[in-house]
Amino acid sequence: MFDHLGIGVTSLAESRSFFLKALQPLGVSVAMEGPHSVGIGRNGKPSLWLCESSEKPTHLHIAITAQNRMEVGAFYEAALAAGGKDNGPPGLRPHYHANYYGAFVIGPDGHNIEAVCHLPA
């Protein structure tokens, strides 16, 4: 449904660093960059735009697809190392569905960032 998503951040430098480190295990890197924004994604396509804003951004929940459960764990460790706060360690979430395996981290602006794999182990 979505081609790309843009979110406001209070510090572009801090959020750029956090998201690139946290999402590196999922194959995400800088796709495009401007003076006040950065587009990150896979294979050179910007799927998530971070735009510096003087307004306090509303907290969002963003879930990024992982190829397997190991990537979910790698994301979680990388995100914590990048300064994220734990919001749910890697594990099954059977209340969503039997194979829902995710991990959740709060980023610099309070956004709930998740990596999720829907495949069976």
Side-chain angles (χ1 to χ4, degrees), residues 28-85:
V28 172
S29 60
V30 172
M32 296 178 78
E33 204 156 2
H36 304 288
S37 63
V38 61
I40 62 176
R42 294 184 182 119
N43 303 314
K45 184 197 180 297
S47 297
L48 177 61
W49 281 94
L50 306 174
C51 306
E52 193 158 62
S53 173
S54 59
E55 297 178 26
K56 178 87 172 138
T58 300
H59 298 171
L60 300 173
H61 175 196
I62 302 168
I64 315 291
T65 303
Q67 300 299 312
N68 54 55
R69 293 178 181 189
M70 287 178 46
E71 280 191 1
V72 172
F75 152 79
Y76 181 76
E77 294 301 324
L80 292 179
K85 294 181 179 85

Side-chain angles (χ1 to χ4, degrees), residues 21-26 64-82 86 88-93 100-105 113-117:
K21 289 175 184 173
L23 300 178
Q24 186 276 329
L26 305 179
I64 315 291
T65 303
Q67 300 299 312
N68 54 55
R69 293 178 181 189
M70 287 178 46
E71 280 191 1
V72 172
F75 152 79
Y76 181 76
E77 294 301 324
L80 292 179
D86 169 59
L92 285 169
R93 305 301 194 278
Y100 197 108
Y101 190 89
F104 305 82
V105 177
I113 313 302
E114 173 187 3
V116 60
C117 177

